[in-house]
Every structure is written in C-alpha cells, then in structure tokens.
C-alpha cells in the first residue's frame, strides 16, 4: 500500500480534529472508530473480508503500513474469523494517540505543548495543511448534498463518522439536522463500512457479547446492575509506545 493515499484511520482522525482548539471531538468513541477504520482499510486493500458478522483474513501479506500490518498479523494469528464487535470492543490501547503521533511524524499535524491551569502539561495538535481536512470534509458534504452514492472509501468514512458521533461536530444545531440524517443514511452504501459502524455502535450501547462466568461462590452475590468483568484483550493491535508521550495529557 503506497503512502500517496491517506488511510481511513488517518482521515477519520483529521475529520475529528478541531482546528480551533487542537483537540479531537468524541475522544472516547474515537478509539473505537479508529479500530473499525483499520478493518475497513484492510478490507479495501484486499487483506480481509466480511464473513457474516465476522472478519476473515484472505490475504495475510503486509500492506506496508506498520500500524495496519500489526492489526492484520493479530487477526491472522486468531486463525478463525473474528466477530467485528469483539475486535472493536477489545480493551483500547491508545489508538487515538498512536495515530496522532503517526500524523505528527508524517508532517500532517504539529504538536503544540501547553499547560492546563499553569501546571499540568498538555499537548494539542494543529493540522499543518488545512487543505487536506477541507478535502476530506468536501467529500462528505458532496455525498450528503447530491445524494449520489459515494465511493466505498467515502461511504465508510461517513458510516464511521456517524457511528462515533461526529455528526453533531460536523453539522451542528438544528440547521444541521438533515445533514446528520443523510450522513447516517450513507451507511448502506458500503457493506464493510456498515458492518464495522454497527459494531462500533453496538459496543457503545453495551451490546458486545460478554464472556460466560462461573456461578458465584455460595454466600457471595453480584450486586444488582453490576457489569460482568471484561474479556481479556481480544485481538486489539499492540501499538508502539513512544517514550514520554503517555506521560503528558493527551489532546481530547
């Protein structure tokens, strides 16, 4: 996969980046969206394919993108196809920060150090070329305005933007209501994008399958409404950690 084209996770993150504040909209759900965007990008590259509600590796050769290749290798090691909701719902490992750092290395964003309340170190990110973000936004606007079925990449981007809640960030207020509705409707134009977008929303709604639990020991009760213990890490790509990065407050 050449680097002349931006990947879907990169585009989703740039779309979420607020140029005025240097922070990302929807910071909690954005990690889920980025995990889903990786799956769509791998599918567009012909490395994986949907198998019902599962993801199957069909061509394990590397793409040339280290972060995508890490995800692809972990999917390959699973052997059997993986449910999209289980993959996306696995414990998050700072995927948003990984991609912010990646975009900084690529020169698409610049990190700006600062302080919160004059004490706590913070890092904000500013796009170095706003034309890139405008081009990404223009693709969505065109698909919403014209009603013409978009290309699979744009359809998947729209589906993920809706799934993580970027609609209110991109098209705010009552005047943006119809645009938000049409953004949601674009999900149907890309099967893979629709699959992962619904998986992202299912995870947020708590619909991901929980592991079976052994009965509680005698005399020990589970508090009403208590959530089962989360599954161990399930196929979430292990991302490279950058010394000192996580010690700072991350833009959100």
């Amino acid at each position: 996969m050449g680097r002349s084209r931006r990947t879907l996770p990169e585009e989703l993150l740039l779309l979420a980046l607020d140029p005025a504040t240097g922070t990302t909209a929807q910071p909690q759900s954005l990690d889920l969206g980025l995990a889903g965007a990786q799956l769509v990008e791998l599918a567009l590259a012909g490395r994986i394919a949907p198998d019902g509600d599962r993801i199957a590796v069909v061509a394990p050769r590397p793409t040339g993108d280290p972060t995508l290749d890490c995800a692809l290798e972990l999917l390959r090691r699973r052997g059997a196809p993986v449910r999209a909701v289980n993959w996306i719902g696995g414990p998050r490992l700072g995927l948003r920060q990984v991609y912010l750092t990646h975009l900084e290395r690529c020169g698409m964003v610049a990190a700006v150090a600062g302080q919160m309340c004059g004490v706590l170190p913070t890092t904000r990110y500013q796009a170095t070329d706003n034309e890139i973000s405008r081009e990404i936004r223009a693709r969505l606007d065109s698909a919403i305005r014209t009603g013409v079925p978009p290309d699979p990449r744009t359809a998947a981007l729209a589906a993920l933007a809706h799934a993580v809640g970027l609609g209110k960030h991109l098209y705010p207020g009552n005047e943006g209501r119809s645009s938000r509705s049409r953004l949601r409707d674009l999900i149907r134009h890309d099967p893979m994008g629709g699959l992962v977008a619904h998986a992202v929303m299912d995870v947020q709604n708590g619909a991901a399958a929980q592991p079976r639990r052994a009965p509680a020991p005698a005399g020990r009760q589970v508090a009403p409404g208590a959530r089962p213990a989360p599954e161990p890490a399930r196929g979430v790509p292990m991302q490279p950690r950058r010394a000192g990065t996580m010690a700072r407050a991350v833009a959100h």
Side-chain angles (χ1 to χ4, degrees), residues 15-245:
L15 198 63
L17 192 62
D18 188 327
T21 65
T23 61
T24 55
Q26 303 301 113
Q28 301 305 318
S29 59
L30 190 55
D31 269 354
L32 302 176
L34 290 170
Q38 286 186 319
L39 294 180
V40 177
E41 189 64 46
L42 288 170
L44 290 171
R47 304 310 197 267
I48 64 174
D51 181 7
D53 67 345
R54 297 175 182 270
I55 304 298
V57 175
V58 295
R61 65 183 183 278
T63 66
D65 181 298
T67 307
L68 291 175
D69 288 342
C70 182
L72 179 61
E73 174 60 16
L74 287 175
L75 283 166
R76 185 193 66 79
R77 291 179 185 177
R78 294 295 299 273
V82 182
R83 289 187 67 208
V85 71
N86 284 351
W87 176 272
I88 292 170
R92 305 268 57 81
L93 296 177
L95 208 50
R96 178 171 56 104
Q97 183 58 47
V98 166
Y99 271 102
L100 282 170
T101 302
H102 165 73
L103 290 179
E104 183 186 4
R105 286 198 302 264
C106 292
M108 283 191 270
V109 302
V112 180
Q115 288 185 330
M116 181 182 296
C117 301
V119 178
L120 183 64
T122 62
T123 304
R124 298 181 183 274
Y125 294 86
Q126 299 290 342
T128 56
D129 185 355
N130 289 326
E131 186 59 33
I132 295 176
S133 298
R134 284 193 291 266
E135 183 271 328
I136 297 170
R137 174 66 181 272
R139 282 164 41 211
L140 288 186
D141 291 346
S142 176
I144 288 173
R145 184 180 64 254
T146 65
V148 175
D151 61 276
R153 181 175 294 276
T154 301
L157 180 63
L160 287 164
H162 167 71
V164 301
L166 287 182
K168 292 183 179 181
H169 167 70
L170 299 171
Y171 307 104
N174 289 331
E175 65 276 13
R177 184 176 300 171
S178 62
S179 293
R180 294 195 299 271
S181 178
R182 288 193 287 271
L183 182 70
R184 180 193 61 225
D185 292 342
L186 290 175
I187 288 180
R188 69 178 186 273
H189 291 295
D190 180 60
M192 185 66 181
L195 171 64
V196 299
H198 284 296
V200 168
M201 290 185 284
D202 284 346
V203 172
Q204 293 180 85
N205 293 331
Q210 296 291 340
R212 294 181 179 271
R213 302 177 64 200
R220 182 180 176 185
Q221 297 182 345
V222 178
R227 299 180 62 185
E231 293 189 29
R234 299 176 65 87
V236 179
M238 294 298 294
Q239 307 296 347
R241 300 188 64 180
R242 186 179 181 186
T245 299

